[in-house]
Amino acid sequence: MDKPLSLAARAILWFVAVNALIGAGSLLLFPARTDTLFFWPITPPLNAALFGALYLSGAFVVSLVTARGLWEPARFLVPVLVTAGALISGVTVLHLDRFAPGVRLAYWLLVYVGAPLLALWIFMRHEQPQANWQVTTPVKPVVRGVAVALGALLLLLGTLAILFPAPVVARWPWPTTPLMTRIFAAWFAAFGAGLLWFLVERDWKRIRFIPIMMTVASGFDLLVLLLHRADVPEAGLSLWVFVFHLALFGLIGLWMVWRQRKDNHG
């Protein structure tokens, strides 16, 4: 039987969801006002809106998981939050001069330094005594294989983009900065860590929200790209590569869900 989430864990996860939702609202509704409404100025507005779409997908999935009130279906959030928090904290240190000083910077650091520490605390708190790892709906080998391969690729490419952002900035379809490139890379590396969790978790019902989050994030980002297409100088090869990788990311998530359901019901 799955364990209920403790009151403290639910409070922390609801904070994560609400914080992400507020960030999404600010970036999606006011992408041209990040100098006053966000933690650093982001240009062009398309970059801010894409970041907001990632926040919105995260808020959506964390809310769904937390509302269930159970630990085991929420366990996959730990590698995602730890990876995102650690990498974004490191990126912040590299670009401290770009952030608004004072309360905003302190809050940003509190969230991204605190999130991985609290996620690890939640994990230890709920795994002892032993939590439920019983497999009732096994992840199909082909689904696990795709998840692990994609996860390793995203983690590798995300880490390389954080370490060496200049080549990525030079090939980006519209103007961007090393900071923004590294932030996006940190998020996709966190997706990679979540997908690698398929090596640990073998029950589909407890890990299915990862491909769902992939599909939701891809859809939101493609919609944002369409709405802010005026920020893209021209529809060159780099733009189509960007669109292709975003669409493929979401389609792989959809395929994982479809293949798992097909095998379970077929």
Side-chain angles (χ1 to χ4, degrees):
M1 179 179 294
D2 287 344
K3 286 184 175 182
L5 277 170
S6 68
L7 183 61
R10 278 183 284 174
I12 291 167
L13 292 177
W14 276 123
F15 171 80
V16 169
V18 171
N19 182 74
L21 185 60
I22 292 172
S26 170
L27 293 168
L28 289 169
L29 297 176
F30 308 104
R33 296 180 58 188
T34 52
D35 56 332
T36 56
L37 296 180
F38 200 60
F39 300 91
W40 75 90
I42 301 175
T43 56
L46 171 56
N47 281 335
L50 285 172
F51 193 15
L54 289 175
Y55 269 134
L56 187 59
S57 63
F60 172 73
V61 170
V62 175
S63 297
L64 284 180
V65 171
T66 308
R68 297 184 68 184
L70 298 173
W71 161 240
E72 283 79 1
R75 187 161 45 200
F76 77 91
L77 290 174
V78 174
V80 176
L81 292 175
V82 169
T83 304
L87 291 178
I88 291 176
S89 296
V91 168
T92 302
V93 172
L94 292 174
H95 295 277
L96 271 178
D97 59 310
R98 293 291 312 280
F99 285 77
V103 174
R104 278 190 283 175
L105 176 58
Y107 181 83
W108 175 269
L109 288 172
L110 178 66
V111 169
Y112 284 103
V113 173
L117 296 176
L118 289 173
L120 290 172
W121 175 81
I122 290 172
F123 185 88
M124 292 185 290
R125 164 73 173 78
H126 289 78
E127 286 297 310
Q128 298 296 329
Q130 186 63 41
N132 180 19
W133 287 89
Q134 182 180 356
V135 177
T136 57
T137 308
V139 176
K140 300 302 177 182
V142 66
V143 173
R144 178 181 299 109
V146 169
V148 171
L150 180 59
L153 181 64
L154 288 175
L155 193 58
L156 174 63
L157 293 179
T159 302
L160 288 174
I162 290 171
L163 294 174
F164 309 106
V168 182
V169 172
R171 290 168 177 79
W172 206 259
W174 55 86
T176 191
T177 63
L179 170 57
M180 204 68 243
T181 298
R182 282 170 160 154
I183 289 290
F184 284 138
W187 273 97
F188 279 96
F191 274 113
L195 286 164
L196 288 177
W197 193 246
F198 274 80
L199 287 169
V200 179
E201 178 62 75
R202 301 302 177 102
D203 190 278
W204 170 253
K205 290 182 179 179
R206 294 197 292 262
I207 204 168
R208 61 192 173 92
F209 282 107
I210 294 177
I212 290 172
M213 185 162 56
M214 290 167 57
T215 303
V216 171
S218 171
F220 284 164
D221 275 341
L222 287 171
L223 179 59
V224 162
L225 189 56
L226 178 65
L227 294 175
H228 289 265
R229 58 190 179 277
D231 284 342
V232 182
E234 59 182 20
L237 178 61
S238 60
L239 174 63
W240 291 115
V241 170
F242 186 89
V243 170
F244 174 77
H245 102 268
L246 264 184
L248 183 62
F249 184 68
L251 287 172
I252 291 174
L254 269 180
W255 176 86
M256 291 169 67
V257 173
W258 170 82
R259 182 57 189 266
Q260 187 72 33
R261 287 175 61 89
K262 176 179 179 292
D263 286 353
N264 285 343
H265 296 288

